Amino acid sequence: MQLSHEALLTAYRSMVTIRRFEERVQEEFSKGGIPGFVHLYAGQEASAVGVCSHLGPRDYIASTHRGHGHSIAKGCDVTGMMLELFAKQGGLCGGKGGSMHIADLDQGMLGANGIVGGGPPLVIGAALTAKTLRTGNVAVSFTGDGGSNQGTTFEAMNMAVVLQLPAIFVFENNGYGEYTAASYAVGCHDIAGRAAGFGMPAVKANGDDFFDVHEAAREAIERARGGGGPSAIEVNTCRFYGHHSGDAQLYRGKDEVKRLRDERDCLKHFRRRVTEAGLLDAHQLDEVDTGVANLIEQAVVAARAGEPPQSGALLTDVYVSY
Amino acid sequence: MPVKTMRQALQEALAHEMRRDPTVVIIGEDVSGGAGTEGGRDAAGGVLGVTKGLIKEFGESRVIDTPITESAIMGAAAGAAVTGLRPVAELMFSDFLGVCFDQIFNQAAKFRYMFGGKARTPLVIRTMVGAGRSAAAQHSQSPYHIFTSVPGLKVVVPSNAYDAKGLLIQAIRDDDPVVFCEHKLMYDLRTEVPDEAYTIPFGEANVVREGDDVTVVALARMVHYALDAAEKLGAEGIECEIIDPRTTSPLDEDTILDSVERTGRLVVVDEATPRCSMATDIAALVADRAFSALKAPVRRVTAPHTPVPFAPSLEKLYIPDPDRIAAVVREVHGFVQ
Amino acid sequence: MITAITMPKWGLTMTEGKVVQWLKQPGASFAAGDELLEIETSKITNVVEADGAGSLIRIVAPEGSTLPIGALLAVVAPPETAAAEIDAFVSQFVVVEPADTGSEDVAAPTPRELEVLGRTLRFLELGTGDVPVLLLHGFGGDLNTWMFNQPALCSDRRTLALELPGHGLSSKDVGSGDITFFTEVIEAALAALTVERAHFVGHSMGGALALALAARRPEQIATLSLLAPAGLGPEINGAFIDAFMRASRRKDAAEALQYLVHASSSISRAMVEEFLRYKRLDGVASALEAVAHAWFPQGRQAVDLTASLRALSTPVQIIWGSGDRIIPVAHSDAASPAAVHVLKDVGHLPHMEKAGEVNRLLRAMMD
């Protein structure tokens, strides 16, 4: 499918925003401005953006502990996210969720998730809402190779097939579940094949190539919108950082990260592809880079200056019995 | 006023809310039953028939039969709740919480708080509790205290048909996740139940019987056993005040404390196991907030700290009964410092 | 002769009663109408009066005991009766099952339903006779409002208690909720019941309705008895109306209902529970709100029927409690003094708090 000039720029902007956001979060986390821990998405941008390009605000996604990329691709406000990571008032969750629970239901973002495999059952619920109320919307579950092994994910896939729900299961196989290789932990070495075993169309996509993911997602999402039921996509991708920020990454091969950055950077691939084809010129892309850098800078400035939640917030947003 | 069983009362509540609000759906294992069979749908209506017949009026898109897949049911219900439906999900036996607890405990219960107040999760989980049918260790427990311990969940434990209908309608209209615990031996208990819809607010205990000597707090089926005990004790001149909290979260602390302020004596009767339970929790509440009113130790009448046994003879020993309750009340009443 | 004092049945739902206090002690003689004992019922504590003269020879049911209706409470006999005879009477006493419980071939006095102006109304018809008595409850009331009166009045009369829209188990749609709406509903109900003429008895808002109907259709009204009626002055206890509407929990409800009676202790837990059960029904909150808004906006009465009362040619009496905390007894000044009965130590529910006296006044009016 030929993407418009505007669509290409939007996709690029979204991917660059994720990359710069994550790079900056790494920097700020190292400086100590961000409490807790963060799981960075840099390297996997083509997956989130390739899928979410097809979604509107009434379509839902659920994400993982590595959720910043999905949130940005789905339209969450970057400053609101940064405030949340810094645990400040005005954060997307008022400073009560943090990196692993960023959610914005108005944008169809059902939440990052601290539980591996927590999201797929929720996604089939969002798909059930769409089917029951005949909204024509779809729901997308982003899971990793780690989440692909969870029973909750299996249950969700089976029920999605049984009830023919408009759900798409995207498995981002970045090669590692925490500090363990996917090639060790995924018994059949074929996440898409396993999904197909549940009775749904399942394909593999190259996560280094935005266009490949985009096309695979288009087919799956169109099928779901048209009442054709669920699909799965295994996106083979890579992460540039560790499992979490500060991970010593003792499990990595020598020069592995350097090689990934040199050879498998989806942003570089995108830039080369669109400029070589004459779809966008370097100047336009540079302008996007500059705009994004400013946006991230502003977000960090706001987050640093923000106030922590008021103490009264401890007891709000939940029934407190005693 | 028509007299109805708890089963009928629950079904009326479901049907009424489904008619009133097209976003209310029922989802669970065999909630109609018979999907894909020669015999066809509505073969069961839940294992004890509470939802039988509803599919005829509301169709399979609103009475949703699922595979046996508790995590997917609870997760789908939570995800549907947060995106615009009002699901009533059935967790057939509360004992099955073990295979789906994450979706209840980490997901549904926490959305509202974790997302800074921006999520509504109008989810009801109907589930069966209670021993007494020789259903043994994995189909007989009363783990409402486990749900009660989770911030973000509301927990209902009705003791009669009238309460069950009003509390279920309230649960369906509530914007927080509610775990609605139905005692499996109480479905055929009858009380007067209006045909109309009505709601009973959460956190309002029912004073089932008034008395000045000993406060007895009891839940679900134990309310009836406490009443049997109180009847005997009344003849001996010991007047029990029986309080049915109806909801364990929120818990109507004031009604319990006010009563103990007057009687100075408390016995808590709970079919659940004794450790970290509602009995323990209510005992702690009174020790904390009504200590000076107490004239005797707070006593708990509970199941032992064992799994539920299968043999009827053992199960009978497991479940608190009116004689045990009466014996403990007598001790508390006769206590001298 | 040896006779029994037994647990009375008051109202539709009473199955048992609790002896609160004996007002006569063994050995005391009494005259007809004397108060013998207090019994706690599902509404308020009520007094059992003597049917005729006699001597209380033995109390069987001690204070605090709860007994089913029909159970033996005390023995009445001449003072010289031998103890053995009394023992025999007590031991041989058989509780007579009331006709409406147990046996299925005797029709129980159950309320029936009536379709009027697109609404379902509940009514209870007891007794037979020519000119019936129509009983109209007040704001927030229901058929049970008359539990101590209708059974007494029906012995030689046809009595009809009507449950107004928005109340009890009647439809909750009250339209505008104003006096015109309710009078139209009542007229339509009377037409449906083919009642051409009746003795009207109305309490509070029901009193105002009875008066308004009398003014509109004097030929329909044989006599008019108004119990603490609304519509005779601007004052009303706005705090009560607010509390009544707001109460959704037992404590608030008990506090609100205590305004109604003189002795606050006479509101029973069951009456509070019954009130809450009504309040919890879908549609009740909005119905009461509409009625209160039409009748009692900003804590004042919007309906003024004093002119209608003065112009009335129908025989009328007004019964009011001296301690009414909802509508001041001073409003009875609107009527001719001859027609006013002020009952001492009574609140807003004279027909419950002093049922015997009110029943006598009602009978006297109709005879």
Side-chain angles (χ1 to χ4, degrees):
Chain A
M1 188 185 83
Q2 190 65 47
L3 281 151
S4 73
H5 185 83
E6 192 52 44
L8 287 169
L9 269 179
T10 301
Y12 181 70
R13 185 178 299 112
S14 189
M15 288 196 291
V16 173
T17 305
I18 296 170
R19 178 68 58 84
R20 301 292 166 255
F21 186 92
E22 297 294 59
E23 288 171 351
R24 191 60 184 271
V25 167
Q26 165 74 358
E27 190 185 326
E28 297 298 323
F29 184 83
S30 309
K31 288 187 203 164
I34 296 175
F37 43 103
V38 290
H39 307 85
L40 301 177
Y41 192 75
Q44 305 183 194
E45 293 86 349
S47 174
V49 177
V51 174
C52 293
S53 299
H54 300 283
L55 304 178
R58 302 317 307 154
D59 295 313
Y60 283 96
I61 66 164
S63 173
T64 68
H65 54 290
R66 200 175 304 288
H68 305 164
H70 306 126
S71 303
I72 291 170
K74 195 66 178 58
C76 293
D77 177 61
V78 167
T79 302
M81 288 175 62
M82 198 66 89
L83 282 162
E84 187 62 33
L85 263 58
F86 276 74
K88 298 296 177 66
Q89 286 181 37
L92 277 184
C93 303
K96 292 164 83 163
S99 167
M100 268 192 290
H101 305 302
I102 284 181
D104 189 346
L105 294 162
D106 293 337
Q107 297 296 334
M109 169 57 183
L110 277 174
N113 210 310
I115 307 298
V116 173
L122 302 174
V123 161
I124 62 167
L128 181 67
T129 299
K131 188 183 179 200
T132 307
L133 303 180
R134 299 193 176 86
T135 62
N137 295 124
V138 300
V140 178
S141 152
F142 286 102
T143 326
D145 45 278
S148 82
N149 294 328
Q150 284 280 41
T152 47
T153 307
F154 296 169
E155 289 192 27
M157 286 195 285
N158 182 57
M159 195 153 111
V161 171
V162 170
L163 300 181
Q164 282 296 291
L165 299 175
I168 296 95
F169 298 90
V170 177
F171 296 102
E172 295 176 330
N173 183 351
N174 64 16
Y176 297 101
E178 296 183 10
Y179 322 124
T180 297
S183 59
Y184 171 86
V186 179
C188 65
H189 305 291
D190 180 4
I191 297 171
R194 198 161 58 188
F198 283 94
M200 69 180 97
V203 297
K204 286 185 164 66
N206 177 5
D208 306 338
D209 178 358
F210 166 82
F211 296 96
D212 199 43
V213 177
H214 187 269
E215 182 56 19
R218 185 186 62 76
E219 271 185 36
I221 291 168
E222 274 181 10
R223 181 160 48 239
R225 284 201 207 286
S231 309
I233 304 169
E234 177 182 355
V235 179
N236 288 298
T237 182
C238 58
R239 56 164 147 90
F240 289 173
Y241 295 103
H243 170 54
H244 49 82
S245 196
D247 173 5
Q249 302 188 66
L250 300 176
Y251 49 87
R252 295 272 202 185
K254 195 170 180 301
D255 296 332
E256 179 183 323
V257 174
K258 182 177 183 304
R259 198 171 62 249
L260 294 176
R261 286 183 182 269
D262 287 347
E263 297 170 11
R264 295 191 56 188
D265 185 337
C266 60
L267 273 180
K268 282 185 192 163
H269 288 177
F270 185 92
R271 184 178 261 263
R272 189 165 57 237
R273 177 102 172 254
V274 294
T275 49
E276 282 176 6
L279 298 168
L280 296 172
D281 63 42
H283 175 69
Q284 287 172 303
L285 297 169
D286 292 345
E287 263 184 17
V288 169
D289 290 349
T290 309
V292 167
N294 288 337
L295 177 72
I296 303 294
E297 178 62 24
Q298 283 164 20
V300 171
V301 168
R304 281 186 186 148
E307 291 290 324
Q310 292 184 336
S311 57
L314 176 67
L315 301 182
T316 59
D317 306 322
V318 66
Y319 177 79
V320 180
S321 194
Y322 40 89
Chain B
M1 181 87 65
V3 171
K4 295 166 193 165
T5 63
M6 190 184 275
R7 179 185 289 105
Q8 289 171 306
L10 290 166
Q11 178 164 124
E12 273 185 18
L14 291 166
H16 187 278
E17 290 308 287
M18 290 178 84
R19 276 176 216 130
R20 179 180 166 272
D21 180 350
T23 68
V24 177
V25 300
I26 294 172
I27 182 166
E29 294 154 9
D30 286 316
V31 288
S32 87
T37 64
E38 200 178 318
R41 296 274 179 136
D42 211 23
V47 286
L48 293 179
V50 173
T51 49
K52 186 158 181 67
L54 290 175
I55 197 168
K56 291 198 187 96
E57 179 173 353
F58 300 104
E60 40 184 277
S61 68
R62 294 183 66 199
V63 181
I64 303 166
D65 279 322
T66 67
I68 297 170
T69 185
E70 284 83 8
S71 272
I73 297 165
M74 293 304 136
V82 86
T83 56
L85 293 184
R86 256 174 213 279
V88 180
E90 186 173 312
L91 177 61
M92 189 184 290
F93 290 89
S94 58
D95 314 67
F96 303 168
L97 73 88
V99 286
C100 59
F101 203 37
D102 179 65
Q103 295 296 325
I104 301 169
F105 165 71
N106 272 319
Q107 313 294 340
K110 295 189 169 58
F111 287 157
R112 187 170 140 212
Y113 191 86
M114 191 163 74
F115 299 162
K118 284 185 286 191
R120 288 185 321 146
T121 314
L123 161 67
V124 179
I125 299 168
R126 285 185 46 242
T127 190
M128 276 194 283
V129 299
R133 286 181 63 133
S134 279
Q138 295 173 345
H139 290 75
S140 301
Q141 298 169 84
S142 296
Y144 32 74
H145 54 289
I146 296 179
F147 298 115
T148 305
S149 72
V150 180
L153 296 180
K154 294 175 178 169
V155 185
V156 183
V157 187
S159 71
N160 62 71
Y162 172 81
D163 286 355
K165 179 172 172 180
L167 290 165
L168 184 54
I169 292 177
Q170 176 77 22
I172 293 170
R173 296 180 188 177
D174 198 289
D175 280 342
D176 281 324
V178 179
V179 182
F180 194 94
C181 302
E182 300 163 13
H183 196 293
K184 59 177 77 72
L185 290 186
M186 292 173 55
Y187 284 113
D188 290 318
L189 281 191
R190 289 162 189 277
T191 47
E192 287 190 341
V193 178
D195 293 333
E196 295 162 281
Y198 56 91
T199 54
I200 297 176
F202 290 169
E204 167 109 2
N206 187 22
V207 180
V208 179
R209 182 185 198 279
E210 286 176 314
D212 291 331
D213 297 327
V214 180
T215 300
V216 179
V217 178
L219 289 158
R221 189 173 176 225
M222 293 301 112
V223 173
H224 303 279
Y225 278 7
L227 274 168
D228 291 348
E231 204 66 24
K232 285 186 200 165
L233 292 162
E236 300 169 19
I238 302 172
E239 292 300 336
C240 294
E241 177 139 304
I242 299 177
I243 296 174
D244 171 8
R246 294 199 280 220
T247 60
T248 56
S249 184
L251 180 68
D252 182 353
E253 300 176 351
D254 290 347
T255 295
I256 297 170
L257 292 169
D258 286 353
S259 177
V260 174
E261 289 290 343
R262 202 155 33 72
T263 62
R265 296 179 173 89
L266 174 68
V267 173
V268 191
V269 188
D270 185 356
E271 190 184 318
T273 46
R275 305 294 309 277
C276 307
S277 65
M278 283 317 299
T280 309
D281 188 74
I282 290 165
L285 168 77
V286 168
D288 186 0
R289 308 252 306 271
F291 184 73
S292 60
L294 286 173
K295 299 174 194 159
V298 173
R299 293 287 303 275
R300 295 168 295 149
V301 183
T302 68
H305 189 62
T306 66
V308 184
F310 164 65
S313 57
L314 295 178
E315 193 182 35
K316 194 168 177 303
L317 294 172
Y318 176 92
I319 303 168
D321 63 28
D323 288 341
R324 264 172 69 193
I325 297 166
V328 172
V329 170
R330 273 185 212 106
E331 281 176 36
V332 166
H333 184 255
F335 178 82
V336 184
Q337 195 92 49
Chain C
M1 193 180 82
I2 304 178
T3 56
I5 297 172
T6 59
M7 181 64 75
K9 176 170 167 64
W10 287 316
L12 297 172
T13 52
M14 182 167 169
T15 54
E16 58 180 26
K18 181 177 174 185
V19 177
V20 178
Q21 195 187 355
W22 282 97
L23 303 172
K24 289 275 184 276
Q25 296 309 314
S29 58
F30 50 81
D34 279 2
E35 298 184 339
L36 300 178
L37 75 156
E38 286 180 352
I39 289 181
E40 184 183 298
T41 69
S42 63
K43 285 274 190 198
I44 66 174
T45 301
N46 194 28
V47 170
V48 177
E49 295 178 352
D51 290 336
S55 292
L56 191 66
I57 199 94
R58 183 181 296 179
I59 288 174
V60 178
E63 291 177 0
S65 57
T66 299
L67 294 163
I69 53 177
L72 181 65
L73 303 179
V75 182
V76 176
E80 63 278 8
T81 312
E85 269 187 79
I86 309 229
D87 291 343
F89 180 83
V90 170
S91 65
Q92 286 161 22
F93 183 83
V94 178
V95 174
V96 180
E97 288 279 326
D100 59 312
T101 60
S103 159
E104 278 182 16
D105 31 279
V106 182
T110 49
R112 285 184 287 152
E113 289 180 347
L114 185 67
E115 292 296 320
V116 167
L117 305 180
R119 294 165 177 86
T120 304
L121 300 192
R122 258 196 351 153
F123 71 99
L124 178 64
E125 181 167 2
L126 297 179
T128 53
D130 278 346
V131 181
V133 184
L134 178 70
L135 301 163
L136 296 172
H137 63 74
F139 176 69
D142 59 20
L143 294 178
N144 277 333
T145 297
W146 307 110
M147 64 187 284
F148 302 133
N149 317 104
Q150 198 175 4
L153 298 174
C154 74
S155 58
D156 54 355
R157 279 188 177 75
R158 180 182 176 207
T159 62
L160 290 161
L162 189 62
E163 211 159 61
L164 297 171
H167 293 75
L169 291 175
S170 291
S171 295
K172 298 302 175 290
D173 174 8
V174 295
S176 63
D178 62 8
I179 190 164
T180 311
F181 166 77
F182 282 113
T183 47
E184 280 169 4
V185 165
I186 295 165
E187 281 179 355
L190 291 177
L193 293 164
T194 60
V195 173
E196 284 167 7
R197 199 155 172 274
H199 299 283
F200 276 45
V201 178
H203 170 238
S204 197
M205 185 181 86
L209 289 169
L211 183 51
L213 287 159
R216 268 164 72 125
R217 299 268 181 91
E219 73 284 358
Q220 274 196 330
I221 317 278
T223 67
L224 190 58
S225 295
L226 308 177
L227 309 168
L232 299 184
E235 292 84 11
I236 186 157
N237 186 339
F240 164 74
I241 301 287
D242 284 352
F244 190 90
M245 309 250 292
R246 253 197 338 269
S248 65
R249 290 172 186 271
R250 193 178 48 253
K251 225 171 170 172
D252 304 331
E255 278 168 21
L257 294 179
Q258 276 171 7
Y259 280 110
L260 286 169
V261 291
H262 180 260
S264 56
S265 63
S266 61
I267 295 286
S268 71
R269 188 179 59 86
M271 181 171 175
V272 174
E273 177 64 20
E274 197 174 296
F275 171 67
L276 284 175
R277 285 185 178 217
Y278 160 65
K279 290 277 315 257
R280 289 169 186 151
L281 295 171
D282 270 11
V284 165
S286 52
L288 289 179
E289 205 152 296
V291 176
H293 180 74
W295 287 73
F296 320 120
Q298 277 93 47
R300 308 282 283 177
Q301 295 198 46
V303 173
D304 182 359
L305 299 168
T306 46
S308 305
L309 177 63
R310 292 197 181 105
L312 214 60
S313 55
T314 318
V316 59
Q317 68 173 343
I318 295 188
I319 303 170
W320 221 305
S322 65
D324 193 325
R325 289 183 286 164
I326 310 297
I327 305 178
V329 64
H331 287 191
S332 60
D333 293 350
S336 130
V340 176
H341 307 275
V342 174
L343 308 185
K344 238 172 90 66
D345 297 339
V346 167
H348 189 59
L349 306 176
H351 50 299
M352 295 189 141
E353 298 174 75
K354 283 276 191 279
E357 205 165 334
V358 169
N359 290 342
R360 273 191 295 281
L361 289 168
L362 293 177
R363 281 180 170 285
M365 186 72 180
M366 296 167 199
D367 285 343

